[in-house]
Amino acid sequence: MNSEFRVQGIGIEELAAEYGTPLYVYDGNELTGRVTDLRTRLHPRLEFFFSLKSNPNISICALLHSAGARAEVSSMAEL
C-alpha cells in the first residue's frame, strides 16, 4: 500500500522533485469542498469571509471566491 500523501492525485515527493522545497501545495478540490460544506451548515443569510491577511495568494483567493467565500481585508491597500 502506498501511503504517500497526494494532492489532487499527485504525490508530494513528485511535486517536491519537480518544484523544489520548501513548497506550498493547496488542494483546490479540498478547499472548495470545505467551503461548500460550511455554507450548507450555516444559515443561508450568513456570509462566509476569508481573511486575505492569512493567505494573499491570488489563485487561492479566486478559488475561494468561486466557492462563495468573500474577502475580508483590513484596508483598501491590503485589497
Side-chain angles (χ1 to χ4, degrees):
M1 181 171 131
N2 184 355
S3 62
E4 179 185 24
F5 186 75
R6 302 180 79 72
V7 176
Q8 292 185 258
I10 305 169
I12 58 170
E13 289 182 13
E14 181 182 341
L15 291 168
E18 184 171 342
Y19 299 104
T21 61
L23 176 66
Y24 295 93
V25 180
Y26 302 92
D27 187 325
N29 294 335
E30 183 69 24
L31 287 172
T32 55
R34 288 182 183 243
V35 170
T36 301
D37 182 55
L38 180 60
R39 291 188 61 75
T40 63
R41 294 170 188 265
L42 295 174
H43 190 280
R45 292 184 62 194
L46 293 176
E47 296 179 280
F48 180 84
F49 287 81
F50 176 74
S51 173
L52 293 184
K53 192 175 292 280
S54 68
N55 186 341
N57 181 310
I58 194 69
S59 296
I60 298 300
C61 295
L63 182 69
L64 292 172
H65 176 73
S66 72
R70 298 188 62 195
E72 183 278 323
V73 297
S74 299
S75 68
M76 290 307 291
E78 186 177 344
L79 180 59

